[in-house]
Amino acid sequence: MRIGRAAGVTDTGRRRLRNEDAFVCEPPLFAVADGMGGARAGETAARLAAAALEESGRGAEGEDALVALIVEANRRIWEQALADPSKAGMGTTVTAALVDSRAGTIAIGHVGDSRAYRVRDGVLEQLTTDHFLVAELVSSGVLTQEEAERHPQRSAITRALGTEPTVDVEAFTVEGSPGDLFLICSDGLPTMVSDEQVAAAILTADGDPSAAAEALVAAANARGGEDNVTVVLFELEEGDEPDEPAPVEPAAEPAIEAEPAVEDAVAEEAPVDDVRTHGAGAGGRLPALLFVAAIVVVAVLALYWGLGR
Ligand code: MN
């Protein structure tokens, strides 16, 4: 078994001004984070979570490693919140999947109400249980299911990343087989789109993760798009993972980005975001150099010609 195609899409939706969701789609690690907290704190929390997972996730394997990644993400958000009073109380959900191709298993770790599903033979199966306050009140007999559905705090979650110095991560491992499609999403999908509609959209996309991701986001928006919506999908297929790819060398990137800095006047005109494009465009000086060289050659030939007479 190996990981096939994968795709991630995030969208602000139709009601919210900002997108406080973030995602990771870096095989074998996939995750969705849904931030909360005012003054852009939710955005910060979700992005910190995604960045922490992405950064320390390379080479991670297994359920314990996944839990450790999430605990580390929690620590970083908590520390950031302590350091910056404007971010006090920020938090985020996280639902992450780490695929172990050799073992044919997928470790799932989650905190909050972002979900993981597995689609097998066209059947959608929810793997995670939301950490809803009302769900816990129902299971402890305080509320009935019906009361829970109308409860004013029905979307309140009992666990989040970054709101406490430590976090209780729910984790488990499921087996995967070729043909399986895994879906991780923020609550903006299930609150807008029923499980049947999610399954139908994936079926229509014929299992193609990119097409399915676009279809699911479109479906959430078509039904109101009241929240940010984020979906990450990956498929499992027959075969073995190729041998370890050559590690990406992070050192190469700063070197390229540093180059335009010495490129005086031209570099100053370029907005910061364009620095890399600009660096890549350093070859743009080549035609000018060739032109100068051509003039020199012509001048030298003219000189010889003139002296020869
Ligand atoms: Mn949400």
Side-chain angles (χ1 to χ4, degrees), residues 179-195:
D180 284 354
L181 189 73
F182 284 77
L183 162 67
I184 308 175
C185 61
S186 61
D187 66 332
L189 182 70
T191 52
M192 292 289 117
V193 185
S194 71
D195 280 5

Side-chain angles (χ1 to χ4, degrees), residues 33 58 79 85 122 125 137 155 172 213 217 235 255 302:
R58 294 203 180 91
E79 284 190 351
E125 180 194 356
L137 293 176
S155 63
F172 52 90
V217 168
E235 64 175 359

Side-chain angles (χ1 to χ4, degrees), residues 37-80:
R40 297 194 161 206
E43 242 171 302
T44 305
R47 285 180 189 175
L48 280 172
L53 291 178
E54 224 173 297
E55 190 193 310
S56 30
R58 294 203 180 91
E61 215 169 73
E63 194 180 308
D64 291 347
L66 182 61
V67 170
L69 286 178
I70 296 173
V71 167
E72 169 61 12
N74 180 80
R75 193 190 62 78
R76 292 195 195 181
I77 301 165
W78 169 252
E79 284 190 351
Q80 186 72 38

Side-chain angles (χ1 to χ4, degrees), residues 149-225:
E149 280 162 20
R150 287 173 308 183
H151 198 278
Q153 295 228 59
R154 60 187 173 278
S155 63
I157 55 175
T158 52
R159 302 185 206 182
L161 225 58
T163 54
E164 305 278 342
T166 58
V167 67
D168 186 11
V169 180
E170 186 171 340
F172 52 90
T173 298
V174 296
E175 48 84 42
S177 54
D180 284 354
L181 189 73
F182 284 77
L183 162 67
I184 308 175
C185 61
S186 61
D187 66 332
L189 182 70
T191 52
M192 292 289 117
V193 185
S194 71
D195 280 5
E196 291 71 26
Q197 291 161 337
V198 168
I202 289 171
L203 200 67
T204 307
D206 202 20
D208 173 29
S210 291
E214 295 292 347
L216 291 171
V217 168
N221 283 332
R223 286 167 182 82

Side-chain angles (χ1 to χ4, degrees), residues 21 34 186-188 227-228:
D21 285 359
D34 179 350
S186 61
D187 66 332
D227 193 4
N228 307 143

